[in-house]
Amino acid sequence: MSFKSIAIAADHAGYDLKSKLAEELRASGYEVLDLGTGDATTSVDYPDFGKAVAEAVAGGKAEAGVVVCGTGIGISIAANRHPGIRAALCHDETSARLCREHNDANVLALGARLIGEVVAKDCLHTFLKTEFAGDRHTRRVEKLG
Ligand code: RB5
């Protein structure tokens, strides 16, 4: 399955990177559901934005999600509290590929204060184009549910 619609959100620390990734997604032909936040200067709480993306993906409003905060840690924890969500915090293309192949991750989490724009875009494209490998991984992913 290749994803076509992507829900994306960030807190204030992730806003700048989130805006660049949303633009990259639109330019690449994806349908983008931007769930905020709306600027980098107003301090907000990352759990609210992880929840928004998790609900959009779990509820079928988007096929996959992208969440960004300073480290990617808090917002990935928030997203993973929702049934049906497998959010993977990635720092490189290999983790972005393997979280799809092995874990069937449906949300990509990135840390804007830890990785640069180029690496983030590499992670994004690799995440979105990589298929779940199935086979023995299916049993394991089912146990996550
Ligand atoms: C915000 O200062 C920061 O705590 C947040 O973006 C994130 O890194 C939390 O995990």
Side-chain angles (χ1 to χ4, degrees), residues 11-14 43-44 46 68-77 111-113:
D11 71 355
H12 53 286
S43 184
V44 293
Y46 59 80
V68 189
C69 69
T71 59
I73 296 171
I75 204 161
S76 63
I77 293 171
R113 291 174 176 163

